[in-house]
Amino acid sequence: MGVADLRKLPSVEKLLQHLEAANSGLPRTLLVDAARAAVEAIRERLLRGEEVSVDAGSIVESALRIARTHGTPTLTRAINATGIILHTNLGRAPLSARAAQAVADVVAGYSTLEIDRDTGRRGSRHQHVEPLLTRLSGAEAATAVNNNAGAVLLALSTLARGKEVIVSRGELVEIGGSFRLPEVMAQSGAHLVEVGTTNRTYARDYERAITAETGLLLKVHRSNFVVSGFVHEASPAELVEIGRRRGVPVMFDLGSGCLVDLRSRGLPYEPTAQDAVAMGCDLVTFSGDKLLGGPQAGLVVGRAKFIEMVRAHPLARALRMDKLDYAALGATLSAYLDPSTVWDEIPVLQMLTRSAAELRAAAEELRDALRQRAPGSWQIDVEPTTSEVGGGSLPEAHLPSYAVAVRTPTQLEERELALRRHHPPVFARIAENALLLDVRALLPGDAPIIVDALTSSGTPEGQLR
Ligand SMILES: *Cc1c(COP(=O)(O)O)cnc(C)c1O
């Protein structure tokens, strides 16, 4: 064994014959690359003096594995056992059944994306969400773009290019690294005028900063952090009063953009789009896939004349949403028309409001199923834990939840890795020497998959690339 085996390595040609005989259904180009990669990997290991089998059968196996990995889409569904409801890395909001169905209906064929059914002529894609958004928010007009970062960029570019935008120093937020308000502002061509201090900004600070160059007063919801102690901020209503008097429009970037009052379910207040509109804000921007619980989108509601300007801006075309998004957003918004069922229909709202008893029962069920299949040496218990809302929303909300805590005699890290490599992958966390499976953000049907992922022998290390 060792370097001497180099001569015994099958040729790529030979390997390819085996691979094609295996009828994997994978395209030949992938098989050729995989055959090369598999032989090369073994050659390298032999040269390092490792003991590796050069048996053609096992090389074919590993080549097939490589080809399958490369031939499989990398974006797959995943199971969220982290307890973080709006996990940005796991795709934020899961869609409602109605929204998923709407997407499925639209993807399969043609759609009425931009056609007027009465005339048979070109219509507008805005028709699919504007009536819903105006009804739900109380605004005169509404539009939607690719995401909220895009909505803010577009609104600033439209209303304030070459002009000054007044913002409180306490609201110059960064969201998830790639969205920093001063940088978005710079991209839009607007000039940032900071007023107040990190902790205290008054209405009079904005008023004093207004000049002939002022294009906009901007209020930004500090979605993902809190300041407490010696603090003050000007309310949107105060800004609106100043804006009206001085002839300057007021925009409120809500970030998360809720359409229901979370206080009604014992959660912290999150400004709703309808509150912002009622206070008189001229433009209000918010995300589609945060607390709203829909697809990635940036919603803009407000005065008709500003919405028209926003739509007519050249960037609007570059930031427009696609038909799948319209389908999902339209279905999500229509769920909000019935306040009595929306809390059950939208998964994000449902997860936010799951009761302790319900979570505990779900955790106990998962624990029992795991105990049935897991080795006797594992310790599996239900433990109270805290879940987060995530997605830069409701940073103050610490939601009491339940998790199944798994303690194994072997390396927990390996188990956690095996979960991530399972199909579909399961994401959990390790804390206090236990693998914690928080049940809050689990969806129906997830539990048996977790049991499988954790108790099946799993993929041995190093096989997947
Ligand atoms: C999240 C957020 C954004 C960005 O929204 P995306 O939909 O992620 O692009 C902008 N502003 C605020 C205040 C936010 O919280």
Side-chain angles (χ1 to χ4, degrees), residues 155-312:
L156 290 174
S157 304
T158 307
L159 268 70
R161 175 165 211 89
K163 296 188 191 154
E164 292 174 354
V165 175
I166 305 175
V167 191
S168 161
R169 287 201 169 83
E171 296 174 9
L172 291 173
V173 301
E174 167 176 318
I175 287 115
S178 49
F179 179 96
R180 304 179 93 192
L181 196 66
E183 287 161 22
V184 174
M185 188 87 74
Q187 278 301 319
S188 75
H191 307 300
L192 171 62
V193 175
E194 299 175 31
V195 294
T197 60
T198 317
N199 56 327
R200 289 175 88 92
T201 303
Y202 300 90
R204 59 175 184 270
D205 295 325
Y206 292 83
E207 177 137 32
R208 277 194 207 123
I210 294 178
T211 69
E213 304 304 313
T214 306
L216 193 69
L217 304 183
L218 176 62
K219 175 104 190 132
V220 182
H221 179 52
R222 282 188 293 255
S223 340
N224 55 0
F225 68 105
V226 281
V227 287
S228 59
F230 190 59
V231 294
H232 183 83
E233 62 180 292
S235 72
E238 285 176 298
L239 294 197
V240 166
E241 189 275 318
I242 295 170
R244 288 284 146 74
R245 204 154 30 74
R246 306 288 299 266
V248 183
V250 175
M251 170 167 142
F252 193 175
D253 176 25
L254 290 179
S256 224
C258 219
L259 286 174
V260 287
D261 189 346
L262 296 179
R263 286 171 302 188
S264 70
R265 304 287 161 130
L267 292 159
Y269 176 64
E270 180 73 19
T272 64
Q274 50 275 38
D275 287 353
V277 168
M279 282 186 277
C281 296
D282 297 291
L283 278 185
V284 181
T285 52
F286 53 105
S287 278
D289 58 355
K290 290 185 181 171
L291 288 169
L292 190 74
Q296 179 184 306
L299 312 182
V300 193
V301 304
R303 282 200 197 291
K305 74 168 177 185
F306 295 126
I307 297 289
E308 254 164 57
M309 286 163 66
V310 162
R311 276 189 192 154

Side-chain angles (χ1 to χ4, degrees), residues 84-107:
I84 302 168
I85 299 173
L86 295 170
H87 198 304
T88 298
N89 305 134
L90 297 180
R92 285 199 188 153
L95 292 184
S96 66
R98 191 197 312 203
Q101 186 57 51
V103 174
D105 288 347
V106 162
V107 276

Side-chain angles (χ1 to χ4, degrees), residues 7 20 65 69 74 90 99 110 122 130 159 161 206 248 267 275 328 330 339 377 382 389 440:
R7 273 175 290 116
E20 295 202 305
R65 225 163 12 235
T69 318
T74 47
L90 297 180
Y110 298 100
R122 189 195 164 124
E130 185 171 34
L159 268 70
R161 175 165 211 89
Y206 292 83
V248 183
L267 292 159
D275 287 353
S377 60
V382 167
V389 179
R440 184 179 288 271

Side-chain angles (χ1 to χ4, degrees), residues 392-434:
S393 306
L394 296 178
E396 282 171 291
H398 299 290
L399 310 168
S401 183
Y402 284 94
V404 175
V406 179
R407 293 178 177 83
T408 62
T410 55
Q411 286 271 302
L412 269 181
E413 283 75 13
E414 275 171 28
R415 281 285 138 203
E416 193 260 343
L417 178 66
L419 283 184
R420 281 188 274 123
R421 287 182 167 175
H422 185 264
H423 296 285
V426 177
F427 293 87
R429 69 192 146 101
I430 293 179
E432 289 163 33
N433 288 323

